[in-house]
């Protein structure tokens, strides 16, 4: 029998075997365990951090795009934390974002009902979303690593397309409104012609608002980053809105009462929000009446309100009026057409600014929408 076939290491007898390098993180492989089996069975990239035993469990999909994230144990939690920081930063993540994420993780790991919002990281050419789910026994957290690279790229392309489409829509509508105003000025002595031109202008403005609402609604990532903020006096803006409705809605009187205030906001989005609310107030007050716009201070918060004397909203519908496509189903509301997007857009604009929006209504008597412009 050839002994060398079974004992090949004998050829090394007499030599000094080189020492194996000890990882900086004192990482040691874990014996097979139920949690390791569970993690490996998951099809998505996922890991589990055991805070009690300072252990990290990972699966093959995660190791495929981040090979250094292997299942291992650490001597202490500080070593585990340092390891994660290094892995993220070696792969190009923003150190400030990593520190913020890990500090939030530390704050939540021993809470009674821990929860965290998903976090996004740029690792190399990948955009990753980390979704966290904490456990109590043992104390730990499952982290799902979702590759959002293609989705983000698609959304960027979509937003670029919508911006171009918005420009293409607004250009002819602006031209229609401008020439209509010129014709209205030239036919002030002809009541019938002036009335028809007024109707054309109203419909062009309504179409412009519908286009704005539709295009804004298509923006999935509607957030503060999409706002163009500036500092301006609020009262002149509100006075311009009131003057607009004096000519476009003769059956309604729009009355303004506001304090002097300077705010920081996206003026175009604020106008869109107010036009949606005032347009609704007029639409749902079919018998006419006075629409009241007020601006007042509630402690340190500026509150803008739009109040109408219209048909109101049934109490059971109030919790749902800001939901997408929701329309109140009542005998009074059915004849009035609408897309169900206006109030949803109002809420998204308010939330992007960090504001609150609230509705109060008495069915059959009217509705008040209030915007809380928090600092």
């Amino acid at each position: 029998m050839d002994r060398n076939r079974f004992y090949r290491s004998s050829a090394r007898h007499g030599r000094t075997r080189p020492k194996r390098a000890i990882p900086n993180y004192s990482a040691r492989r874990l014996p097979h365990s139920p949690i390791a089996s569970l993690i490996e069975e998951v099809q998505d990239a996922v890991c589990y951090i055991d805070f009690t035993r300072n252990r990290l469990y990972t699966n093959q999909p995660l190791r495929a795009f981040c090979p250094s994230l292997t299942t291992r144990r650490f001597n202490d939690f500080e070593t585990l934390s340092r390891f994660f920081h290094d892995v993220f930063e070696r792969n190009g993540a923003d150190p400030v974002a990593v520190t913020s994420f890990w500090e939030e993780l530390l704050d939540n790991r021993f809470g009674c009902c821990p929860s965290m919002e998903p976090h996004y990281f740029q690792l190399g050419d990948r955009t990753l979303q980390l979704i966290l789910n904490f456990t109590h026994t043992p104390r730990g957290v499952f982290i799902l690593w979702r590759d959002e690279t293609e989705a983000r790229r698609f959304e960027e392309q979509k937003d670029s397309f919508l911006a171009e489409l918005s420009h293409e829509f607004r250009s002819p509508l602006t031209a229609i409104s401008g020439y209509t105003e010129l014709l209205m000025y030239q036919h002030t002595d002809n009541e019938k012609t002036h009335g028809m031109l007024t109707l054309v202008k109203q419909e062009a403005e309504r179409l412009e608002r519908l286009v704005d609402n539709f295009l804004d609604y298509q923006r999935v990532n509607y957030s503060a980053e999409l706002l163009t903020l500036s500092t301006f006096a609020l009262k002149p803006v509100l006075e311009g809105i009131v003057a607009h409705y004096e000519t476009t809605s003769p059956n309604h009187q729009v009355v303004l009462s506001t304090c002097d205030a300077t705010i920081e906001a996206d003026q175009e989005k604020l106008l869109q929000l107010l036009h949606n609310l005032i347009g609704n107030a007029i639409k749902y007050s079919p018998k006419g009446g006075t629409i009241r716009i007020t601006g007042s201070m509630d402690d340190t918060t500026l509150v803008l309100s739009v109040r109408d004397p219209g048909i109101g909203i049934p109490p059971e519908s109030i919790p749902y009026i800001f939901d997408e496509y929701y329309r109140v189903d009542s005998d009074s509301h059915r004849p009035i057409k609408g897309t169900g997007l206006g109030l949803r857009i109002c809420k998204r604009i308010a939330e992007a600014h960090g504001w609150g929006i609230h509705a109060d209504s008495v069915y059959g008597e009217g509705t008040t929408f209030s915007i809380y412009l928090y600092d």
Side-chain angles (χ1 to χ4, degrees), residues 56-329:
L56 170 67
Y57 301 88
T58 67
N59 66 353
Q60 182 55 38
L62 178 57
R63 295 190 293 270
F65 68 78
C66 195
S68 56
L69 285 175
T70 56
T71 296
R72 58 178 72 189
R73 71 161 60 100
F74 298 85
N75 291 334
D76 49 50
F77 190 76
E78 288 71 22
T79 308
L80 187 154
S81 297
R82 193 163 60 251
F83 168 76
F84 260 89
H85 273 79
D86 288 351
V87 167
F88 273 102
E89 292 177 21
R90 268 203 317 273
N91 286 277
D94 179 11
V96 175
V98 174
T99 300
S100 175
F101 164 74
W102 200 256
E103 287 177 352
E104 187 178 352
L105 187 73
L106 297 184
D107 291 340
N108 280 278
R109 59 177 172 152
F110 293 130
C112 60
C113 299
S115 64
M116 283 176 62
E117 292 295 321
H119 283 251
Y120 287 89
F121 291 97
Q122 194 71 34
L123 298 186
D125 59 351
R126 295 174 183 264
T127 300
L128 295 177
Q129 181 191 44
L130 272 59
I131 302 174
L132 299 95
N133 187 14
F134 290 84
T135 62
H136 289 277
T137 309
R139 289 282 181 172
V141 61
F142 285 98
I143 305 179
L144 173 64
W145 305 61
R146 294 180 56 182
D147 191 341
E148 295 287 310
T149 308
E150 290 302 320
R152 279 294 182 96
R153 186 177 295 119
F154 172 78
E155 289 304 328
E156 289 172 1
Q157 293 172 345
K158 180 180 176 181
D159 286 346
S160 176
F161 169 75
L162 289 174
E164 183 65 25
L165 187 64
S166 174
H167 174 74
E168 293 297 324
F169 269 121
R170 287 192 178 98
S171 295
L173 287 172
T174 301
I176 292 170
S177 294
Y179 284 120
T180 302
E181 284 184 1
L182 178 61
L183 290 171
M184 288 171 66
Y185 176 76
Q186 294 176 345
H187 292 83
T188 52
D189 56 341
N190 188 320
E191 184 177 345
K192 183 177 180 180
T193 301
H194 190 275
M196 289 189 293
L197 291 170
T198 300
L199 182 61
V200 171
K201 188 173 188 305
Q202 289 175 355
E203 291 303 303
E205 290 171 347
R206 188 169 75 92
L207 181 58
E208 188 172 2
R209 287 195 294 273
L210 286 172
V211 168
D212 286 341
N213 286 343
F214 175 74
L215 295 177
D216 274 352
Y217 182 74
Q218 297 303 312
R219 295 181 183 273
V220 175
N221 297 315
Y222 199 96
S223 61
E225 288 76 17
L226 296 176
L227 301 178
T228 303
L229 298 177
S230 62
T231 301
F232 56 90
L234 180 62
K235 190 172 182 179
V237 173
L238 297 179
E239 289 173 342
I241 293 175
V242 170
H244 168 83
Y245 285 100
E246 284 177 352
T247 58
T248 59
S249 185
N251 294 330
H252 299 82
Q253 183 181 13
V254 182
V255 176
L256 172 64
S257 173
T258 184
C259 59
D260 291 322
T262 299
I263 66 171
E264 184 181 29
D266 185 321
Q267 187 168 332
E268 287 300 317
K269 295 303 177 189
L270 176 62
L271 286 172
Q272 184 182 356
L273 189 160
L274 290 171
H275 276 301
N276 279 344
L277 293 182
I278 298 169
N280 271 7
I282 290 171
K283 182 165 63 173
Y284 290 102
S285 302
K287 295 181 180 180
T290 301
I291 311 297
R292 300 187 183 278
I293 304 173
T294 60
S296 59
M297 297 300 297
D298 182 5
D299 292 331
T300 60
T301 301
L302 177 64
V303 182
L304 282 178
S305 297
V306 177
R307 182 179 180 182
D308 67 67
I311 59 180
I313 304 170
E316 63 273 13
S317 297
I318 292 287
Y320 308 105
I321 57 174
F322 293 107
D323 291 353
E324 55 189 0
Y325 303 120
Y326 181 79
R327 301 208 61 218
V328 177
D329 185 20

